[in-house]
Amino acid sequence: MPTRAAFAAILVAVVLWGLAPVATRYLVLNADPLGVLGIRFALCSLCYLPVLPWLRLGTVTWHRRTLGMLAACGIVGVVGYNVPMTLGIRDVHAGFAGILLSTEPLWIALLSVLVLKHRLTAPLAWGLAVAFAGVVTLSVGNGLTVSTSMFGGAALVLLGAFMWGAYSVAVGPLVRRYGALRVSAVTMWIGTVPLLAICAEGMLSTTLDATGWVVLFLYGLGPNLVGMLLWNYGLSRVPGPRAGLLLNLYPVVSVAGGVMLLDEPLTVTTLAGGVIVLAGLLLARPRSGSDDATEEPGKPARPPADR
């Protein structure tokens, strides 16, 4: 049964990710987006080095299938998610991007049903639908406009959302077998290598003032290090579709962070959207004694056939 600690870990991860757009907006005004992305992940990868002795990587039997899955998760979770999102958001208005980001829980639920053979219950389906409606309301409240020039960027943002859904589904069995810290570190290191190659030119030309470097360091330490660890820990104990539902909260966090830290306007429509999102989360909460409440988190249809 999912524990309160696991739900709390996922919630804190989502809050950290929700604050990430606030930091991003501050940074990209003064630096190359891919350069900032590369430096952030380089710093984050270095933050894992002090815990290397506790990972005990040499004591683990790494089957070829396991190594392949770790490599795939690293590339999908780091490169597949972040690069399309970073490039796409430059051409997509914030409101439209919010709608596309809100498809992440839908991708997680769909892939969990198709790949892990989870049962998509009626309360969860209704909760996803209501929460999605809340994010749409949030987007409209922040001035949603759509033009033909936005389609390329929208496709990239949607691709990033799909990649995060794929990562969340695939990493669950690995975390339960090898531990959240070990899997987080290995996938981060694997994914950062190709990311640095992609972002190298922008990294060399990136210059920031002292405040910018502090924001960049905290950005990497918070969402990418602490957030990833907490998310992977939560996924080891909470079903993927239900964990994905909480991702609907980060547009709410982003709006709140923008209002408090960037002096962005807060409208009645924005408040209404936040209330609808929260209603969707409550609607999808498992009932005591229901089958969904006792569902095993992320259980594969059959044990992985490592060779």
Side-chain angles (χ1 to χ4, degrees), residues 12-222:
V12 173
V14 171
V15 170
L16 290 174
W17 291 336
L19 291 174
V22 180
T24 300
R25 179 162 182 161
Y26 176 84
L27 291 170
V28 298
L29 291 176
N30 303 293
D32 178 84
L34 286 182
V36 169
L37 181 63
I39 295 172
R40 178 160 56 91
F41 272 89
L43 292 173
C44 185
S45 296
L46 292 175
C47 288
Y48 276 102
L49 292 180
V51 301
L52 186 58
W54 287 272
L55 298 181
R56 302 174 63 190
L57 299 178
T59 65
V60 179
T61 301
W62 301 102
H63 300 283
R64 285 180 297 174
R65 179 181 175 86
T66 300
L67 292 173
M69 286 298 297
L70 286 169
C73 286
I75 294 172
V76 169
V78 176
V79 179
Y81 173 74
N82 288 281
V83 172
M85 293 292 294
T86 300
L87 297 177
I89 286 178
R90 296 184 304 177
D91 301 316
V92 175
H93 295 176
F96 196 18
I99 292 179
L100 299 176
L101 287 172
S102 72
T103 65
E104 288 176 2
L106 304 180
W107 291 122
I108 292 174
L110 179 61
L111 291 171
S112 294
V113 170
L114 295 177
V115 178
L116 301 181
K117 309 303 180 184
H118 284 177
R119 182 170 56 89
L120 186 61
T121 62
L124 180 58
W126 278 108
L128 286 169
V130 173
F132 179 78
V135 177
V136 172
T137 304
L138 275 172
S139 300
V140 173
N142 283 281
L144 172 64
T145 59
V146 181
S147 64
T148 55
S149 63
M150 296 172 62
F151 290 150
L156 287 173
V157 174
L158 191 60
L159 174 61
F162 172 80
M163 288 294 186
W164 185 254
Y167 168 83
S168 297
V169 171
V171 81
L174 293 172
V175 169
R176 287 189 295 278
R177 183 166 183 174
Y178 298 104
L181 181 60
R182 183 180 290 136
V183 171
S184 298
V186 172
T187 55
M188 177 67 69
W189 287 330
I190 291 174
T192 298
V193 172
L195 181 70
L196 292 181
I198 295 171
C199 301
E201 183 178 353
M203 293 170 65
L204 293 174
S205 62
T206 296
T207 57
L208 292 168
D209 58 17
T211 302
W213 284 111
V214 171
V215 172
L216 182 57
F217 177 77
L218 293 178
Y219 187 8
L221 183 64

